[in-house]
């Protein structure tokens, strides 16, 4: 079976707070390490009441201090929000603290709306169109030799870079630079097969990577019964509908029969958005994972589970790993 990794947004359940969510993330990371997951990545999102991983580097430092072997990383850092030098220093610091355990996934979306993007950058002169140049600048800081400006810590650090995406743009850049590619199929699967094909066909080997490597986002809601797993999935269903309608919220508790309350077009959108998912018992999940890997040829799955109850979330990851081993 291909490697499985964890993508965590440090979800803030309804009635909880960011501190508890970040402590839950550390607990999940410790358990993921014990279960045999390869990586534990956290994602940068801003101005969202249900996500506590905005200060991604800081959150990863906490997770790293609570674990000993699992790789930690960003899935991803939204590079247009930051000066490349700052990211080189932050992840250089993580690598200095946790040697040979740090990954850096890079995305070009803001991870928020335009108002928050402006608040982050003070202006929008630095935008996604500069993303390829920003990636090259970041690589230069890690290599050293950028002239008078040096990333300390960071210079000389062997930190694998990944390109994240949900369209052909990321596939093109990852192929051109010879970097591993992570596709956001867990919430934007529409162009997945086309992007994977483009990346593999046009991949150019680099110092970091000699052949294409594809990691795909994948939702998993695994429980002792199919009905329980389907109920667990209703929290993220509610969150997606709220996001699409501009009504941001903390992660809501499960709601039995939720999908049946929606109009047909909303149900169709949900099924499309969450089409790359395993929902059910371990046996059901194993079949769904195997079918997904056979269809895509993925080299690795980055599993996310937006589950309201923390213990049910940990249990879902445990059951999934047991199922596919």
């Amino acid at each position: 079976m291909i490697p499985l990794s964890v993508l965590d947004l440090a979800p803030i359940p309804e009635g909880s707070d960011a501190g508890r969510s970040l402590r839950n993330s550390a607990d999940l990371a410790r358990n993921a390490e014990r279960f045999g997951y390869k990586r534990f990545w956290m994602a940068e999102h801003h101005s969202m009441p249900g996500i506590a991983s905005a200060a991604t580097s800081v959150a990863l430092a906490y997770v790293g201090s609570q674990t000993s072997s699992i790789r930690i990383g960003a899935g991803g850092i939204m590079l247009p929000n930051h000066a490349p030098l700052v990211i080189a220093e932050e992840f250089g610091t993580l690598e200095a603290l946790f040697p040979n355990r740090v990954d850096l996934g890079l995305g070009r979306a803001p991870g928020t709306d335009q108002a928050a993007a402006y608040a982050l950058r003070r202006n929008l002169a630095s935008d996604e169109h500069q993303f390829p140049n920003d990636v090259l600048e970041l690589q230069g800081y890690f290599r050293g030799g950028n002239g008078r400006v040096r990333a300390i810590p960071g210079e000389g650090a062997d930190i694998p870079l990944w390109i994240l995406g949900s369209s052909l743009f990321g596939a093109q850049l990852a192929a051109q630079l010879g970097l591993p590619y992570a596709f956001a199929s867990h919430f934007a699967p529409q162009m997945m097969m086309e992007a994977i094909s483009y990346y593999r066909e046009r991949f150019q080997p680099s110092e970091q990577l000699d052949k294409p490597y594809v990691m795909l986002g994948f939702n998993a809601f695994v429980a002792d019964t199919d009905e329980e797993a389907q109920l667990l999935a209703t929290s993220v269903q509610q969150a997606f509908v709220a996001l699409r309608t501009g009504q941001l919220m903390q992660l809501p508790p499960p709601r039995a029969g939720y999908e049946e309350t929606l109009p047909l077009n909303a149900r169709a959108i949900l099924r499309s958005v969450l089409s790359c998912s395993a929902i059910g018992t371990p046996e059901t999940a194993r079949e769904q994972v195997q079918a997904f890997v056979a269809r895509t040829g993925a080299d690795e799955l980055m599993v996310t589970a937006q589950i309201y109850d923390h213990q049910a979330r940990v249990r879902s990851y445990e059951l999934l790993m047991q199922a596919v081993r």
Side-chain angles (χ1 to χ4, degrees):
M1 183 57 200
I2 66 172
L4 299 184
S5 293
V6 175
L7 175 62
D8 179 43
L9 304 183
I12 306 175
E14 192 174 296
S16 187
D17 56 46
R20 188 175 307 173
S21 295
L22 291 166
R23 287 187 287 274
N24 285 343
S25 291
D27 181 68
L28 178 60
R30 288 190 296 268
N31 279 289
E33 184 173 82
R34 181 167 59 89
F35 299 154
Y37 285 84
K38 185 173 184 177
R39 311 174 201 274
F40 188 92
W41 282 12
M42 304 185 79
E44 176 188 347
H45 292 281
H46 300 279
S47 195
M48 293 189 178
I51 296 175
S53 55
T56 314
S57 303
V58 178
L60 287 171
Y62 175 55
V63 168
S65 72
Q66 300 295 303
T67 53
S68 59
S69 60
I70 194 169
R71 296 192 66 85
I72 60 173
I77 289 294
M78 302 297 105
L79 198 51
N81 296 340
H82 311 278
L85 175 61
V86 172
I87 299 305
E89 292 171 339
E90 289 180 357
F91 277 78
T93 300
L94 288 171
E95 175 65 19
L97 291 169
F98 314 110
N100 303 312
R101 291 180 57 198
V102 178
D103 300 319
L104 176 50
L106 302 169
R108 71 183 182 117
T112 187
D113 58 21
Q114 287 297 303
Y118 178 82
L120 283 164
R121 307 175 199 170
R122 310 312 300 167
N123 64 72
L124 296 178
S126 174
D127 61 22
E128 64 270 16
H129 301 296
Q130 297 297 318
F131 181 60
N133 291 332
D134 287 345
V135 174
L136 293 175
E137 182 180 345
L138 181 59
Q139 285 184 315
Y141 289 127
F142 286 137
R143 290 194 193 103
N146 262 21
R148 294 176 60 187
V149 180
R150 301 172 64 185
I152 310 293
E155 187 174 287
D158 183 16
I159 300 174
L161 298 186
W162 293 67
I163 300 297
L164 280 57
S166 59
S167 68
L168 288 182
F169 183 93
Q172 293 169 352
L173 184 61
Q176 181 180 350
L177 297 181
L179 297 177
Y181 181 48
F183 189 87
S185 37
H186 59 295
F187 73 90
Q190 291 78 10
M191 298 187 69
M192 176 182 68
M193 297 305 296
E194 187 178 358
I196 293 172
S197 177
Y198 186 100
Y199 168 71
R200 287 177 173 147
E201 290 173 0
R202 293 167 174 79
F203 180 85
Q204 300 178 25
S206 67
E207 291 182 9
Q208 179 177 326
L209 194 63
D210 61 356
K211 61 182 180 180
Y213 193 93
V214 173
M215 179 160 60
L216 299 179
F218 193 75
N219 300 286
F221 306 90
V222 190
D224 293 325
T225 67
D226 287 337
E227 293 75 18
E228 183 184 356
Q230 290 160 4
L231 180 62
L232 293 177
T234 61
S235 291
V236 78
Q237 290 174 345
Q238 295 174 73
F240 269 124
V241 170
L243 180 63
R244 291 294 177 93
T245 56
Q247 300 173 339
L248 301 181
M249 61 168 67
Q250 294 180 327
L251 187 67
R255 181 177 165 188
Y258 172 70
E259 190 172 347
E260 286 69 31
T261 69
L262 299 174
L264 290 177
N265 64 327
R267 295 187 211 180
I269 290 172
L270 267 184
R271 288 171 185 169
S272 173
V273 165
L274 297 175
S275 61
C276 299
S277 301
I279 305 175
T281 64
E283 294 76 16
T284 302
R286 179 172 59 248
E287 293 173 0
Q288 293 169 332
V289 168
Q290 289 174 342
F292 182 72
V293 172
R295 178 163 65 96
T296 62
D299 297 296
E300 185 173 340
L301 295 187
M302 178 62 72
V303 180
T304 185
Q306 292 284 83
I307 294 174
Y308 177 81
D309 180 76
H310 175 64
Q311 294 306 320
R313 184 164 66 129
V314 173
R315 179 64 173 159
S316 177
Y317 278 106
E318 181 179 21
L319 290 174
L320 179 65
M321 183 60 80
Q322 290 174 355
V324 302
R325 274 180 171 165

